[in-house]
Amino acid sequence: MIRHILLVKFKSSASSKAIQEVLEDFQAIATKIDGICAVEWGRNNSVEKLNDDYSHCIQMTFTNEHSRQNYLPHPVHDALKKKFNTVLDKIIVFDYTIS
């Protein structure tokens, strides 16, 4: 399985409603693209304050490498990226294989 982690900093101008809609769209993508086992997201609440202004994490789990490769160019993912980019300031993407 492949874990796909997004650390997200939203634009200061992004409304709470717009951010919530994007996060809900990420949550729903598992029902629209085969091979996504799970999607979860959360807002940073670390007391260590080492998040460098990244406020949210989105975590996706793919069944295998083929599923991740299917997701990346998928039209549903492309549509989500367009919407996401309207509220996104910065992002870190980190993937790893679950052993």
Side-chain angles (χ1 to χ4, degrees):
M1 293 182 11
I2 305 288
R3 184 77 31 90
H4 179 67
I5 297 173
L6 311 175
L7 298 177
V8 180
K9 179 181 177 186
F10 289 104
K11 292 177 182 176
S12 59
S13 61
S15 71
S16 296
K17 181 181 177 188
I19 291 170
Q20 185 66 31
E21 285 178 10
V22 167
L23 294 171
E24 289 173 2
D25 288 349
F26 266 103
Q27 192 95 43
I29 204 166
T31 64
K32 299 175 182 177
I33 301 176
D34 289 337
I36 301 174
C37 305
V39 178
E40 61 185 60
W41 62 267
R43 186 174 181 89
N44 178 58
N45 64 7
S46 173
V47 297
E48 294 178 289
K49 307 290 186 214
L50 299 173
N51 57 303
D52 199 21
D53 293 328
Y54 288 85
S55 60
H56 291 74
C57 177
I58 301 165
Q59 179 177 285
M60 304 173 77
T61 305
F62 296 98
T63 55
N64 53 37
E65 178 61 27
H66 175 76
S67 298
R68 178 175 58 177
Q69 293 303 323
N70 178 54
Y71 160 80
L72 292 172
H74 198 284
V76 172
H77 179 228
D78 286 341
L80 177 55
K81 285 191 302 188
K82 285 181 185 175
K83 186 174 182 180
F84 190 35
N85 284 332
T86 66
V87 294
L88 180 65
D89 182 18
K90 291 176 72 177
I91 190 168
I92 294 172
V93 179
F94 191 94
D95 292 4
Y96 64 94
T97 301
I98 301 171
S99 26

